[in-house]
Amino acid sequence: MSRRGPFSCESATETLEWMNAIADFLKPFKPLMDAHVVNFFKDRLWESIDEEWMDCLREESVENLVNIPSGIAMDYWPSSLQDFIDTLHSLCLPREAKQLHKMMPDLHVMSLGSVLSQGMNPKKKHEVEILSAVISKVADNVGARTIIDVGSGQGYLAQVLSFLYQLAVVAIDASSHHGSVTSARAVRIKKHYSSKLAENKHLNGPEAVTCHVLSSNMLTSLATTLFETDSAEETREIGQASEDQNFPCSKENAAPPLILAGLHACGDLSVNMLRTFVDCQEVKALVGIGCCCNLLSEEYLEGTSSQSGFPVSKGAKLTGINFGKNARDLACQSAERWRSLSNNMALQNFGIHAFRAAFQIVFDKHYPDMMASSPSIGRQGKALRRKQSQRVTENKAIDCKKEALELTEIGKVYGKCNEKDLEGYQGTCSFGLSDEYAKFEEFCYSGITRLGLPPVKDINFQGLWKQVKPFSVLVGPYWTLRAALGPLIETFILLDKLLFLQEQGIKAAILPLFDPVISPRNVAVIAQKI
């Protein structure tokens, strides 16, 4: 391997060249992408990694380990490992929001006051301030005054676009509760703004529409029919449409020009926005930030589906690469978040993964029926753990005495982190908790209880931990190397979306908008029809 780049994606040819380079790099590491750390001990996953790399990293400080996803290698590491890290990093899309003001030099980001930002956490406020300004600027460029906010949640973005930028907005979300919250909040905000306007000035808030967008056909239908009636600030129930239902796009120019916008449109929803943008002539621009790559439908897994979420471009299909759920789950990793971890939090992370991997052996041996019927467990706990980690990062302060140990993938807090617990940490990724046998047994029992499984009396937890303990020091290096692949997988998925538009002859770009430490899913697909 050798370092390549820098790469560009200004044209379809350049984008495809970048994607081919990523595919060539990733294919030899497919076993690493497809693996799951819960099987670390059961499948002896460390043996799939270059032995020289693991021998080096097992002695490495935690500070240097958490910097690997950011492309930082030590000059005394094996040259092949340095080359791996260097090449990987050169292929990743830069995530710093440096190009925004170069592409939009006269962009003016307005700060949200206390009324509009009420209920927003710092992350959401940061995102909405920037994205609303970008959408307003794009609207000016294409002469559009109407926005469809796809996956609008509680309507924070929609309300800022309505009341601060005076745009007509329809907020679409699958949750009727979110629609009700959006409408109620809009009424309160309108009262505040109406008191500041002249009496003859008409002020509308966003219209909330409850709808499960299951296909681009349905979104296209909504885009062409939503403005037949003027019913702002009213919540409408549209219901669901099947994938096979055909909604022809309007061919008349009576409807106003529209912009599709989305702040963290989840999984296939972000792809449905792309297809709708291409198919519907009323939609003149797109500003979308996706999330949850792990929830994308994938063609090779779903069968022959022209509506799968990945890949969407012809070029991506020709590369022959597929990811699978475990690999796409990696795309949620953030190099910036890894780099911001304290030593204690990183060690705690590695330790939890070691316990969880050891518990998998218990689970596999004593509850095989459960494994067969439900091989994937703990999504709730994983989501809660991410939220916990997110709060810590946003505050930019990690206080280990106040934070509970990370929620396990089976969704159970099993203890508090304190100074005594950290006595065994010696600057490496060894777990080192005092009385770790008891901790491991407690961890396992909490998992068994959480899953509602009958306890098994003859499980030798101490013997199992003794068996895997010598290899637990390798969990940190292995997990870090896997996590380092995440930003590259996400880069490929983003480029796939961009190439899909470029293949249609559409002017498009992918652009980081937010501070990646505050908001790791910070890349917007921005496109407009000339």
Side-chain angles (χ1 to χ4, degrees):
M1 291 178 289
S2 60
R3 183 182 178 91
R4 298 183 60 185
F7 289 90
S8 175
C9 54
E10 295 183 5
S11 69
T13 300
E14 291 175 330
T15 303
L16 185 56
E17 180 184 359
W18 191 348
M19 294 173 72
N20 282 327
I22 293 174
D24 290 343
F25 176 86
L26 286 176
K27 284 175 182 176
F29 298 101
K30 186 165 176 55
L32 183 59
M33 289 192 296
D34 291 344
H36 200 304
V37 180
V38 299
N39 297 317
F40 184 77
F41 298 124
K42 183 171 72 74
D43 295 340
R44 300 180 66 87
L45 293 179
W46 62 90
E47 294 180 351
S48 66
I49 306 298
D50 187 302
E51 186 176 354
E52 187 181 18
W53 294 10
M54 296 301 279
D55 286 344
C56 167
L57 295 179
R58 71 183 297 161
E59 303 296 335
E60 197 51 72
S61 67
V62 69
E63 297 97 327
N64 290 339
L65 286 179
V66 297
N67 280 327
I68 288 177
S70 296
I72 301 173
M74 300 294 104
D75 56 11
Y76 54 83
W77 290 357
S79 59
S80 59
L81 177 57
Q82 293 183 52
D83 196 25
F84 165 81
I85 296 170
D86 190 40
T87 304
L88 189 159
H89 186 64
S90 73
L91 290 167
C92 288
L93 177 73
R95 305 308 290 267
E96 295 78 14
K98 295 178 179 178
Q99 298 298 317
L100 177 57
H101 286 282
K102 290 183 180 180
M103 287 190 64
M104 299 180 177
D106 54 347
L107 180 72
H108 176 57
V109 178
M110 290 192 278
S111 179
L112 303 184
S114 59
V115 174
L116 275 175
S117 64
Q118 184 177 7
M120 298 185 194
N121 59 28
K123 174 178 179 289
K124 184 64 67 177
K125 183 173 183 289
H126 172 74
E127 294 167 345
V128 171
E129 282 182 342
I130 296 173
L131 186 59
S132 61
V134 170
I135 293 170
S136 176
K137 179 63 180 175
V138 172
D140 290 341
N141 291 344
V142 300
R145 304 302 299 167
T146 306
I147 315 297
I148 300 179
D149 181 7
V150 184
S152 58
Q154 298 188 45
Y156 294 131
L157 175 64
Q159 288 146 7
V160 171
L161 291 171
S162 290
F163 294 112
L164 193 60
Y165 291 96
Q166 300 294 295
L167 294 165
V169 183
V170 172
I172 300 175
D173 196 86
S175 168
S176 59
H177 172 70
H178 283 166
S180 299
V181 170
T182 297
S183 297
R185 191 172 185 272
V187 170
R188 294 196 301 270
I189 296 172
K190 181 179 178 179
K191 289 179 180 178
H192 171 81
Y193 276 87
S194 295
S195 66
K196 298 179 178 296
L197 297 174
E199 290 184 3
N200 61 350
K201 178 90 173 184
H202 184 62
L203 188 65
N204 280 330
E207 178 185 354
V209 174
T210 299
C211 172
H212 290 268
V213 179
L214 301 179
S215 70
S216 58
N217 285 337
M218 185 174 189
L219 189 53
T220 297
S221 175
L222 287 170
T224 57
T225 60
L226 280 171
F227 298 96
E228 293 176 356
T229 59
D230 183 12
S231 55
E233 296 180 65
E234 164 186 321
T235 301
R236 284 198 275 163
E237 294 273 354
I238 301 296
Q240 293 191 182
S242 70
E243 290 288 346
D244 298 327
Q245 196 166 351
N246 184 29
F247 295 90
C249 184
S250 169
K251 299 300 180 184
E252 301 179 1
N253 294 321
L258 309 174
I259 293 179
L260 281 183
L263 175 55
H264 295 151
C266 187
D268 284 357
L269 188 58
S270 62
V271 179
N272 287 335
M273 290 174 63
L274 299 182
R275 292 190 172 109
T276 300
F277 171 70
V278 170
D279 293 340
C280 186
Q281 69 173 17
E282 286 86 356
V283 179
K284 302 302 182 185
L286 168 77
V287 183
I289 299 177
C291 72
C292 302
C293 294
N294 54 309
L295 297 181
L296 285 169
S297 60
E298 191 163 352
E299 184 171 302
Y300 98 100
L301 292 174
E302 306 293 331
T304 55
S305 171
S306 60
Q307 293 293 306
S308 62
F310 175 81
V312 289
S313 68
K314 296 176 182 176
K317 294 175 183 178
L318 291 175
T319 66
I321 196 168
N322 56 67
F323 289 134
K325 189 175 184 306
N326 285 346
R328 283 184 281 107
D329 211 22
L330 272 184
C332 300
Q333 294 297 319
S334 163
E336 291 76 19
R337 288 280 177 90
W338 272 81
R339 193 170 61 241
S340 66
L341 287 175
S342 70
N343 285 2
N344 289 343
M345 186 62 78
L347 286 165
Q348 172 186 304
N349 186 303
F350 298 155
I352 290 291
H353 278 87
F355 270 10
R356 178 61 181 86
F359 175 71
Q360 189 73 2
I361 298 176
V362 175
F363 199 57
D364 184 57
K365 181 178 179 181
H366 296 280
Y367 303 96
D369 292 340
M370 182 69 174
M371 278 293 293
S373 62
S374 181
S376 178
I377 60 173
R379 308 309 303 175
Q380 178 186 8
K382 195 168 188 178
L384 290 171
R385 186 175 71 246
R386 284 175 178 163
K387 288 181 181 179
Q388 178 194 40
S389 178
Q390 177 179 306
R391 289 195 300 269
V392 171
T393 305
E394 287 167 1
N395 294 332
K396 295 187 177 180
I398 297 174
D399 184 352
C400 196
K401 293 181 179 179
K402 294 180 180 179
E403 289 294 328
L405 276 176
E406 280 199 40
L407 288 165
T408 74
E409 293 192 14
I410 48 178
K412 177 74 176 178
V413 178
Y414 75 92
K416 295 284 185 178
C417 184
N418 54 51
E419 292 299 328
K420 185 177 180 181
D421 287 331
L422 299 173
E423 288 175 354
Y425 294 144
Q426 301 297 327
T428 71
C429 61
S430 59
F431 191 50
L433 286 175
S434 60
D435 196 17
E436 61 191 28
Y437 297 132
K439 286 284 186 181
F440 176 62
E441 184 171 352
E442 183 182 354
F443 179 98
C444 292
Y445 275 124
S446 71
I448 292 168
T449 302
R450 178 77 177 186
L451 293 168
L453 299 173
V456 178
K457 295 182 179 180
D458 61 347
I459 301 177
N460 184 1
F461 293 108
Q462 181 170 334
L464 172 59
W465 185 250
K466 281 184 177 179
Q467 178 185 349
V468 302
K469 171 65 177 176
F471 306 104
S472 64
V473 71
L474 302 176
V475 170
Y478 182 86
W479 176 221
T480 306
L481 290 173
R482 280 198 80 234
L485 295 174
L488 189 55
I489 295 171
E490 186 183 22
T491 295
F492 190 92
I493 292 172
L494 288 167
L495 292 172
D496 175 42
K497 294 178 179 179
L498 175 63
L499 184 59
F500 170 76
L501 297 175
Q502 291 174 331
E503 289 172 344
Q504 321 299 318
I506 293 172
K507 181 181 179 181
I510 49 177
L511 185 66
L513 300 186
F514 314 136
D515 182 329
V517 176
I518 298 174
S519 180
R521 308 279 78 76
N522 71 337
V523 179
V525 178
I526 302 177
Q528 60 187 53
K529 294 172 182 174
I530 305 300

